Amino acid sequence: MSDQIIEARRQFLRYTMGSALVAGVTGSSVLPALVHAMGKIPEQLIAGKSIYDMRGTVFVDGKLANESTYISANSLVETGRSSYVVFVIGFDAHILRDNSKVQFKGKDNIEESLRLATGKLLSVFGARTGGSVHQVQTSTATIGIRGTGLYVESEDDLSYACTCYGHVDIVANADPSQQEKVIATHHDSPRYIGKGGGYSQLITPAPMKNHTDEELMLIEQLVGRKPAFSTLKSYTAPRKGY
């Protein structure tokens, strides 16, 4: 792939994300136009490179980041207002939206867990050897995953988790006896997880929101995979209207 094509795709990504940010919809999807207009999504990110694209203020391990910054399996990644970063760690890829903070833990460039202290994160996780479980923590939930696409939001008293595909185990931090196993093929069972405060049911049904198949398609491709649902196989050429 030529440098001109790669740069054109990046410029278009910045344009579509920037337009959404100006419109005040940073929590929703901003990538469909990129996928359709460019015909197909970017190829796998080259070895040794972490960041595919970014906008605004992004910090990695307390230092202002640029597209050459390396993100390890133990890095702290933070975004400011009207900012985002699209990046890869080992077998996993992520889109961290604006006003977000996530701490990774792992070794040998393999994530073992992450904690989304605040904000919004869309992630795809590769299967772990030996059946080990990757753990995702939010303000109110602990989520065990195996080779999954997952979108999470973390606020002070409420979390949101959409299992885009795959198998997860959700545990409410306020009452670990409240648990749910979710097996999804295509955003089947999004959930809110509450903090407590007198509510007897902490894990409740939620709508699918603020992320899209196109975004999953993008970040899966950055680690050399395709999403687990077959509907994306048709997204290989531009569609009219884009």
Side-chain angles (χ1 to χ4, degrees), residues 50 60-62 70-77 87-90 94 102-115 134:
S50 298
V60 175
D61 298 324
Y70 178 72
I71 300 177
S72 77
N74 287 292
S75 284
L76 172 66
V77 184
F87 61 100
V88 168
I89 301 175
H94 310 275
V102 59
Q103 173 70 62
F104 294 92
K105 291 185 178 181
K107 59 183 179 181
D108 300 326
N109 203 36
I110 298 176
E111 296 176 30
E112 296 178 348
S113 66
L114 68 83
R115 178 174 177 79
H134 188 297

Side-chain angles (χ1 to χ4, degrees), residues 115-116 136-143 152-154 159-160 173:
R115 178 174 177 79
L116 182 66
V136 173
Q137 294 182 319
T138 68
S139 57
T140 63
T142 299
I143 305 168
V152 289
E153 299 183 0
S154 183
S159 297
Y160 171 83
N173 293 340

Side-chain angles (χ1 to χ4, degrees), residues 52-95:
Y52 169 70
D53 201 79
M54 57 180 287
R55 177 188 176 93
T57 304
V58 178
F59 288 91
V60 175
D61 298 324
K63 298 180 180 180
L64 191 63
N66 58 50
E67 289 190 2
S68 297
T69 298
Y70 178 72
I71 300 177
S72 77
N74 287 292
S75 284
L76 172 66
V77 184
E78 302 171 87
T79 58
R81 181 180 178 184
S82 300
S83 303
Y84 67 83
V85 59
V86 184
F87 61 100
V88 168
I89 301 175
F91 303 117
D92 311 323
H94 310 275
I95 299 176

Side-chain angles (χ1 to χ4, degrees), residues 190-210:
R191 294 291 184 262
Y192 288 122
I193 306 95
K195 186 177 181 178
Y199 292 95
S200 58
Q201 189 65 31
L202 299 180
I203 303 175
T204 57
M208 188 273 190
K209 63 177 185 178
N210 295 345

Side-chain angles (χ1 to χ4, degrees), residues 13-36:
L13 177 60
R14 292 190 182 100
Y15 172 78
T16 54
M17 283 193 166
S19 298
L21 292 170
V22 170
V25 292
T26 53
S28 60
S29 168
V30 289
L31 293 178
L34 168 70
V35 176
H36 298 315

Side-chain angles (χ1 to χ4, degrees), residues 36-239:
H36 298 315
M38 294 305 172
K40 58 182 180 180
I41 58 176
E43 294 184 355
Q44 184 173 356
L45 205 63
I46 62 174
K49 185 171 177 60
S50 298
I51 296 177
Y52 169 70
D53 201 79
M54 57 180 287
R55 177 188 176 93
T57 304
V58 178
F59 288 91
V60 175
D61 298 324
K63 298 180 180 180
L64 191 63
N66 58 50
E67 289 190 2
S68 297
T69 298
Y70 178 72
I71 300 177
S72 77
N74 287 292
S75 284
L76 172 66
V77 184
E78 302 171 87
T79 58
R81 181 180 178 184
S82 300
S83 303
Y84 67 83
V85 59
V86 184
F87 61 100
V88 168
I89 301 175
F91 303 117
D92 311 323
H94 310 275
I95 299 176
L96 187 65
R97 304 202 195 280
D98 63 320
N99 296 317
S100 299
K101 180 178 180 179
V102 59
Q103 173 70 62
F104 294 92
K105 291 185 178 181
K107 59 183 179 181
D108 300 326
N109 203 36
I110 298 176
E111 296 176 30
E112 296 178 348
S113 66
L114 68 83
R115 178 174 177 79
L116 182 66
T118 187
K120 306 174 181 69
L121 179 71
L122 179 66
S123 303
V124 292
F125 302 97
R128 267 53 184 174
T129 59
S132 60
V133 178
H134 188 297
Q135 190 176 81
V136 173
Q137 294 182 319
T138 68
S139 57
T140 63
T142 299
I143 305 168
I145 63 174
R146 294 181 178 88
T148 302
L150 181 71
Y151 176 71
V152 289
E153 299 183 0
S154 183
E155 303 175 7
D156 288 342
D157 58 355
L158 185 70
S159 297
Y160 171 83
C162 177
T163 308
C164 307
Y165 40 85
H167 176 192
V168 306
D169 298 312
I170 301 175
V171 178
N173 293 340
D175 180 2
S177 69
Q178 296 198 37
Q179 305 180 12
E180 183 175 357
K181 293 183 181 293
V182 176
I183 299 176
T185 57
H186 200 191
H187 315 287
D188 303 305
S189 303
R191 294 291 184 262
Y192 288 122
I193 306 95
K195 186 177 181 178
Y199 292 95
S200 58
Q201 189 65 31
L202 299 180
I203 303 175
T204 57
M208 188 273 190
K209 63 177 185 178
N210 295 345
H211 63 293
T212 70
D213 290 346
E214 288 87 352
E215 291 177 306
L216 290 160
M217 185 180 181
L218 169 70
I219 55 178
E220 284 280 27
Q221 184 64 24
L222 293 180
V223 285
R225 299 189 300 261
K226 293 182 179 180
F229 39 85
S230 60
T231 54
L232 287 180
K233 292 181 180 179
S234 62
Y235 291 169
T236 57
R239 295 186 178 186

